[in-house]
Amino acid sequence: MTRKNFGLSWAIAVMVAVLALVASACGGDDEETATTAGSETTAGGTETTAAAMEMVSIKGASMPNATGFPIWLAKDLGFLADNGLDLEIVYFQSGAPMVEAGVQGSAWQVGWIGSPPGMTAAEKWGLILAGMEIEEGRQLGVWVRTAELGDQDPAEFLVGADVMVPVNSTLDQTLGACLDFFGLTRDDINVVPLGPDDIDATFAAGQADAAAPFLRPGSPWVEDPDSYTMVCNAEMAGVSIYDPFIVHPNYWESNPEQSAAYIDAVYKANEWILANRDAAVDKMAEFYVEIGTDASRAAVEADVDARTWYTLDSAIEAYESGEALAGYNALAEFFVSVGNWESVPDIQPAVDAGLEVLK
């Protein structure tokens, strides 16, 4: 091998017409409203639908990649509108600017985020980690060129290798777990810190020996799978990689019903994905067109199939059992071990608040 060196519940209650027509100040005080999933029926028998609800405007933070799909889908399929929410999706290129905008408290109210920036914001200003959206340990891993690997044992191949990775990310954690899996340490490889775009271009150009990349449409290992081999992923190495749904603490405090209505809608989207795999692939293809990403059918299928989409019930179970907190803390402990973070942040309050939103 030749080494290459280089540097909500429902939204605000609807004031129905029959109440507005009641002349007496006492009349109507004792009337009750019966609510169904798609409509409301008052004691007087008047029915209203989502179309007649007073819609609440809300902003959802996302990134333009496959993990943002459920938010887009919840809007596209009408789950958010059914819950009285008119959601505007605000896209950020990464978690850091999303967190910075969130400090202001008005740029967005809900959304999703990666675990590292989410945990940082949870400790610094109380961002609520409102349940896991996905677990993506199957799709994050270490890749090499198939021809260069040949018949070599991957552990032997990686010794002395130049390995590209976005540091301080879940991929960095994945790389560390895979090294443990192979009986290696970071001292056995040459860590090359690069951003995702640079990793794609550099590896496609034949440089470096291995990479821990994001799987994205257009990436060489996605578009040309025969030329690249994943020698380890986070799942193989026993690490869970979570991306959580989030709610801004200010919004939860002032609008708990809308916050819960958002969470209800996006988990309905996740459940729809699980129940409608082929239709979900079609919808994700539409999503990619809308965000300006050119994706092959194979890449879209991989994006749907490589993720574990959490339901509301499974997210509650993961929070109640301690699975979620353990996964978040494992990431933080890794970052501390490699010097990226000084200490493990206390995110128990963010998880407790998240469970309250979920319930």
Side-chain angles (χ1 to χ4, degrees):
M1 173 180 63
T2 301
R3 302 293 187 198
K4 288 101 176 162
N5 295 317
F6 65 101
L8 252 117
S9 313
W10 290 95
I12 298 176
V14 180
M15 182 65 71
V16 295
V18 66
L19 294 181
L21 296 175
V22 175
S24 170
C26 296
D29 285 352
D30 296 325
E31 291 191 9
E32 297 180 355
T33 299
T35 304
T36 62
S39 65
E40 288 188 331
T41 302
T42 68
T46 301
E47 182 177 277
T48 63
T49 65
M53 296 176 70
E54 180 183 347
M55 302 299 288
V56 177
S57 296
I58 188 171
K59 293 181 180 180
S62 182
M63 287 175 257
N65 59 46
T67 309
F69 176 52
I71 299 178
W72 178 92
L73 186 65
K75 181 174 182 177
D76 183 75
L77 295 179
F79 297 148
L80 285 158
D82 287 345
N83 283 4
L85 298 178
D86 179 15
L87 181 77
E88 174 191 351
I89 302 176
V90 184
Y91 288 105
F92 297 85
Q93 289 305 310
S94 65
M98 187 187 297
V99 168
E100 291 177 9
V103 174
Q104 304 169 13
S106 60
W108 52 265
Q109 293 79 47
V110 297
W112 75 271
I113 198 169
S115 290
M119 293 176 66
T120 300
E123 181 182 48
K124 288 186 175 180
W125 49 270
L127 177 65
I128 298 174
L129 308 180
M132 287 100 80
E133 175 189 358
I134 60 168
E135 196 284 321
E136 53 182 342
R138 293 194 303 274
Q139 72 147 353
L140 302 185
V142 178
W143 292 75
V144 300
R145 297 183 190 86
T146 303
E148 292 183 3
L149 176 64
D151 295 329
Q152 294 181 76
D153 180 88
E156 295 178 357
F157 178 87
L158 289 172
V159 173
D162 292 326
V163 184
M164 300 178 293
V165 62
V167 296
N168 202 26
S169 70
T170 50
L171 280 166
D172 201 358
Q173 180 191 20
T174 298
L175 173 60
C178 283
L179 291 172
D180 288 342
F181 178 74
F182 288 129
L184 304 175
T185 70
R186 284 174 98 82
D187 292 336
D188 293 315
I189 65 171
N190 302 312
V191 175
V192 181
L194 288 178
D197 291 340
D198 291 331
I199 290 176
D200 286 2
T202 301
F203 217 31
Q207 300 181 49
D209 306 298
F214 288 108
L215 271 68
R216 309 177 298 170
S219 297
W221 27 82
V222 173
E223 304 301 339
D224 186 15
D226 292 338
S227 297
Y228 303 89
T229 297
M230 178 188 278
V231 295
C232 172
N233 62 22
E235 184 177 68
M236 292 170 56
V239 171
S240 296
I241 307 295
Y242 301 128
D243 289 306
F245 287 123
I246 54 174
V247 175
H248 198 286
N250 294 355
Y251 196 71
W252 168 244
E253 182 178 357
S254 60
N255 299 275
E257 291 188 353
Q258 286 80 9
S259 300
Y262 163 76
I263 291 299
D264 175 72
V266 290
Y267 276 111
K268 282 178 179 174
N270 270 11
E271 290 162 10
W272 189 91
I273 294 169
L274 291 169
N276 303 274
R277 186 267 183 188
D278 292 343
V281 172
D282 293 337
K283 281 294 184 181
M284 185 173 280
E286 292 179 27
F287 166 68
Y288 271 135
V289 170
E290 186 164 315
I291 64 174
T293 298
D294 184 14
S296 66
R297 183 74 179 185
V300 177
E301 289 177 343
D303 274 335
V304 172
D305 294 338
R307 291 167 166 81
T308 297
W309 306 91
Y310 274 79
T311 67
L312 178 58
D313 287 343
S314 62
I316 290 174
E317 181 180 355
Y319 267 49
E320 289 183 327
S321 68
E323 173 193 338
L325 182 61
Y328 294 141
N329 282 340
L331 171 65
E333 289 163 1
F334 169 77
F335 284 161
V336 170
S337 72
V338 296
N340 291 341
W341 290 4
E342 292 184 0
S343 62
V344 175
D346 179 13
I347 63 163
Q348 184 72 62
V351 171
D352 291 343
L355 181 58
E356 187 177 359
V357 179
L358 288 170
K359 286 189 170 184

